[in-house]
Structure formats: C-alpha cells, structure tokens
C-alpha cells in the first residue's frame, strides 16, 4: 500500500518488507529505490518490526496496522506507525519519527494526515490517539496542524485525539 500526496509518500510495511528490514535495511531501500539514512531503522521502528512481522504471519488482513515508511524525493525521511489493529471501540494509537536531518520540514504533519485519512477510511476506525512529551513543541504543532485536539495528559505526556467527525 502506497499513499502519495503533498510531496511525500508513505508505504505500509508488508510481511516481505518487514523481513527485509529485519535482515538487511539496505535491501529494502534498494527495492524501492530509496536512499537509506545513517543508522536507520531507528530504535522504535526496530523494536516494532519483529512484533508486526509476527502479526502479519498470523493474520495478513492486519497489513497497514503497523509501520509505514515516509519518503520524500527518493529519501527515507522517517516512519509512522499504527501501534496495533483497532480495539472494539474503533480506536487506534499512532506514533511517528522523523530523521534528525529532516525535521521541521512539514514531513510529520503530511504523514500524519495521510495515515489518518487512510485509517479513518477503514470502517472500523473511529478515533485516533497520539502522544508526545509536553516539551516537544514541533510534534505538538504537527498533531494540531493534522487536525488533532488536546485530550488528556499524564505526567509529562500530552495525549491528542482525532475523531472521524473532527477530520
């Protein structure tokens, strides 16, 4: 699954992609003609990939409910993930990471919008949540520009939400 708009693309990681990323990230980049940033994939994506790969091996219909790779002009600029398939209330959580040299260029906002539009087009999803540390002002701005509203906080973590009817 590939979604392209607003100068960026997000590509859902397939089972085959997850295998490539776990074994040899350069092979993944070469498959899609993308430039690989140094030390990529970063920690969060590396931690999520084995779990997502196992999920896809058991239930292929969950493709898309995991990591997506963000690219712009042939470069991998980050990743964005749906943390798990929707719960019974139709809720999901997203997280994202933009490579250090690519921050403050609007990639996060664009990727969030693209992923949320896809997610809300799935009949099961009604509400999307995201969280960030209260001092991460660029991330808060990206969420707000993508249509999220403040929902709650816990210690130094702020929680934002986007509902289908608020999109």
């Amino acid at each position: 699954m590939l979604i392209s708009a607003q100068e960026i693309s997000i590509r859902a990681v397939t089972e085959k992609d997850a295998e490539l990323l776990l074994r040899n990230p350069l092979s993944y980049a070469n498959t899609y003609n993308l430039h690989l940033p140094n030390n990529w994939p970063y920690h969060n994506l590396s931690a999520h990939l084995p779990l997502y790969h196992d999920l896809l091996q058991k239930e292929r219909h969950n493709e898309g409910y995991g990591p997506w790779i963000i690219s712009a002009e042939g470069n991998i600029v980050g990743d964005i993930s749906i943390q798990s398939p929707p719960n019974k209330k139709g809720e999901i959580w997203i997280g994202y990471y933009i490579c250090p040299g690519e921050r403050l260029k609007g990639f996060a906002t664009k990727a969030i919008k693209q992923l949320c539009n896809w997610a809300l087009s799935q009949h099961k999803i009604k509400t999307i949540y995201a969280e960030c540390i209260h001092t991460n002002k660029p991330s808060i701005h990206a969420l707000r520009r993508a249509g999220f509203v403040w929902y709650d906080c816990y210690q130094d973590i702020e929680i934002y939400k986007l509902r289908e009817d608020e999109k």
Side-chain angles (χ1 to χ4, degrees), residues 31 43 52 58 63 71 80 95 107 109 131 158-159 167:
T31 298
H43 178 71
Y52 181 62
K58 295 173 189 166
E63 189 172 294
S71 62
I80 187 165
F107 295 138
T109 300
E131 64 184 25
E158 292 198 17
I159 302 169
K167 179 173 95 155

Side-chain angles (χ1 to χ4, degrees), residues 11-22 28 31-32:
R11 179 182 302 276
V13 173
T14 65
E15 183 180 349
K16 181 181 175 185
D17 292 342
E19 290 170 8
L20 281 173
L21 287 165
L22 288 166
Y28 172 85
T31 298
Y32 296 109

